[in-house]
Amino acid sequence: MSRTGNDSSQLWQACAHAKVNLHLGVGEARADGFHELATVFQALDVHDRVSYRWGEKPAVEVTGNHATGVPASTENLAWRAVELVAHNLMLPAAGTLTMEKNIPAAGGMAGGSADAAAALLLANQALSTEFGREALSMEKLYELAAELGSDVPFTLMGGTALGRGRGELLTPMLSRGRYIWAIITNAEGLSTPSVFHKLDELRAAGRGSTPHLDTEAVGQALVGGNPHELAAVMHNDLQPAALSLRPDLRKILDTGEAAGALKGIVSGSGPTCAFLCEDEETAQEVVAQVCADNRGTSGLVTTGPATGATLV
Ligand code: C5P
């Protein structure tokens, strides 16, 4: 290796956007343990700032409002993204990766996946530039994204998309207008595998939601661009399972709707709840009311759709 890592190596930066599932239909468990999904993703403006600079030693740093619980080590999924890119460019995985966390962690908003998507772009750009290699194609990056996790391909793509398979098979969807969200996060996280497992248990006992794999109503509402229409058809098959594990989320959903949200749903596997609102003032009111009435919650207001991971 002829180059050494030093401050003359360029600092590359990217935005890593959160997502919300407007529809999350969950089919049966597959032989590989994953569930077949029919989901509609929307990327949100709220984003982490991820940066990478080539250097000889591997280093991972985590800062920001939502850094608690995020591994500041090579265990972080985003570092695995750097490793995959380096491996495919036949280079060593090294350098400093920094994540400034604004997306609540372990909350069903794909913050970890978004950082990994941003790290794929960053490592690809930085390493190919630093070492004069041909960069990996976007097609290859999508393949690596799917290897990293079910939500990583969408956080790379952004916008609004239908996700099939385990969520990694994406088709962009037409979406008109901007949607305003009050997002309520929770001090205590919820493990994604345990929520899927709970849904299997509920279904085996004849109590879980039947799979809602038809996304047509959401697709039509998005073309219309009317948040009232979208609110009427938003759905999450994982919600009964998340509520069964965390009954406190029911009160959060009720408080948010009573405060004026058009509709509140558990975001992905939760415990984050997402409230679609008519305007920003209402969204601020939803955050204020829910946080005042529910211990351990905090909130933010954001809009969608936004872009996927983007180099800045
Ligand atoms: O792909 P990802 O690492 O995000 O998935 C985390 C876990 O969520 C999986 O190990 C699995 O238990 C569950 N999952 C699932 N079906 C999916 C996506 C995730 O059962 N389609």
Side-chain angles (χ1 to χ4, degrees), residues 32-292:
D32 63 3
F34 286 92
H35 292 71
E36 203 59 33
L37 302 185
T39 187
V40 178
F41 294 106
Q42 182 177 89
L44 298 176
D45 281 327
V46 58
H47 59 272
D48 293 345
R49 298 285 286 209
V50 185
S51 63
Y52 174 82
R53 191 198 299 272
W54 163 253
E56 287 208 323
K57 289 197 191 116
V60 178
E61 294 164 358
V62 182
T63 64
N65 289 339
H66 291 281
T68 312
V70 179
S73 71
T74 53
E75 297 297 299
N76 195 299
L77 185 70
W79 184 260
R80 294 221 356 251
V82 174
E83 286 177 338
L84 281 181
V85 170
H87 177 78
N88 278 275
L89 290 170
M90 288 182 291
L91 291 167
T96 300
L97 182 72
T98 305
M99 281 156 276
E100 183 193 307
K101 298 293 304 175
N102 302 309
I103 306 173
M109 296 185 75
S113 300
D115 294 350
L120 285 173
L121 290 179
L122 288 165
N124 194 33
Q125 190 69 42
L127 294 177
S128 58
T129 305
E130 184 81 22
F131 293 92
R133 301 283 166 94
E134 189 182 336
L136 303 175
S137 65
M138 278 312 287
E139 196 185 352
K140 182 70 190 171
L141 292 187
Y142 275 103
E143 192 187 307
L144 299 181
E147 222 173 286
L148 287 164
S150 308
D151 288 339
V152 183
F154 176 71
T155 53
L156 188 55
M157 175 184 275
T160 306
L162 172 66
R164 300 301 303 250
R166 61 186 171 88
E168 87 286 19
L169 305 175
L170 299 171
T171 310
M173 288 172 76
L174 181 62
S175 172
R176 288 207 176 87
R178 293 200 68 67
Y179 297 89
I180 300 165
W181 297 93
I183 303 288
I184 301 294
T185 66
N186 222 280
E188 200 188 327
L190 198 48
S191 126
T192 300
S194 67
V195 178
F196 276 99
H197 184 70
K198 189 73 191 176
L199 176 61
D200 293 339
E201 257 178 42
L202 290 174
R203 282 180 173 167
R207 291 192 293 131
S209 54
T210 51
H212 285 60
L213 302 178
D214 184 350
T215 57
E216 190 160 333
V218 177
Q220 275 174 7
L222 287 168
V223 171
N226 179 340
H228 291 261
E229 276 173 36
L230 181 61
V233 293
M234 279 173 9
H235 174 82
N236 182 358
D237 274 344
L238 285 179
Q239 186 160 308
L243 290 174
S244 161
L245 292 168
R246 289 286 299 275
D248 56 307
L249 301 182
R250 180 78 266 165
K251 185 178 160 215
I252 292 173
L253 293 173
D254 290 346
T255 326
E257 289 184 354
L262 299 174
K263 176 144 178 170
I265 53 168
V266 171
S267 170
S269 59
T272 298
C273 292
F275 296 90
L276 183 58
C277 298
E278 194 162 21
D279 51 43
E280 190 174 336
E281 200 184 339
T282 312
Q284 297 289 5
E285 183 60 24
V286 166
V287 167
Q289 284 286 332
V290 174
C291 293

